[in-house]
Amino acid sequence: MEKTLTPKPHILVLEANKEIREFTRKSVLEPNGYQVTLVEDGPTGLEAARGLNPDLILLDYDLPTMNGLEFLRALRDQNIHIPVILLKTYTSRLIDADIFNLGVLACVLKPFKMATLAKAVQDAMSALHLDCLLYTSDAADEEDSVDLGGRRII
């Protein structure tokens, strides 16, 4: 009987910081069996998303040329609906509401721990129906949560 190889899930990483791009690829994604494409800016990311059709996008909010919100709008304007995990250094309720309305599955705050990002990716890949979650490196309790129109961010 001939074995059929299942292709590795493909993740597109759009990250402005070279060290974070490489860390994410080498320490989080490749060791967990993912195929990875790295890009550093929005226009290159849009081209890669169109051409490669990855299973998931890890998106830095602070990209050069266009920020993460502008990238998401351009992606959706081109009718590309690839699941996205947003990586950002801060949280703003207005920005969070906008990004979640554009279909972001999860938001991971920088600096993040390997295990935190790996968990967010694993959750997204195994259950794309996740409600919008914000992952932090520290355990949060109810007092630390933010309500965004019925979506709880922890």
Side-chain angles (χ1 to χ4, degrees):
M1 181 185 278
E2 188 176 314
K3 281 188 176 180
T4 304
L5 295 178
T6 305
K8 293 179 179 181
H10 187 196
I11 299 177
L12 175 61
V13 178
L14 282 84
E15 171 59 56
N17 183 293
K18 182 179 180 179
E19 289 78 24
I20 295 174
R21 276 195 314 269
E22 289 297 324
F23 170 81
T24 301
R25 179 178 63 83
K26 290 179 183 176
S27 300
V28 179
L29 300 176
E30 287 180 347
N32 285 296
Y34 300 110
Q35 177 185 350
V36 181
T37 299
L38 303 175
V39 297
E40 62 186 43
D41 63 56
T44 306
L46 285 172
E47 186 177 315
R50 272 194 310 271
L52 300 172
N53 193 30
D55 299 292
L56 181 68
I57 296 174
L58 296 184
L59 173 62
D60 177 13
Y61 185 84
D62 297 315
L63 290 172
T65 318
M66 67 171 52
N67 68 31
L69 185 58
E70 293 165 334
F71 176 86
L72 284 167
R73 287 183 178 140
L75 197 67
R76 300 313 182 223
D77 286 348
Q78 294 180 30
N79 204 28
I80 299 171
H81 298 281
I82 299 165
V84 173
I85 294 176
L86 190 73
L87 308 173
K88 54 192 285 195
T89 56
Y90 59 88
T91 184
S92 160
R93 288 183 184 178
L94 177 61
I95 292 173
D96 286 342
D98 288 343
I99 62 168
F100 290 129
N101 289 335
L102 288 168
V104 168
L105 290 177
C107 185
V108 177
L109 292 181
K110 297 178 191 177
F112 52 80
K113 294 178 182 172
M114 275 188 336
T116 302
L117 184 58
K119 173 84 168 112
V121 170
Q122 179 184 8
D123 287 350
M125 295 303 290
S126 63
L128 293 177
H129 64 276
L130 285 177
D131 199 4
C132 304
L133 297 175
L134 173 69
Y135 289 82
T136 64
S137 292
D138 298 320
D141 58 27
E142 288 293 322
E143 294 173 10
D144 294 330
S145 66
V146 176
D147 185 7
L148 290 175
R151 294 179 175 140
R152 196 175 75 117
I153 294 189
I154 53 174

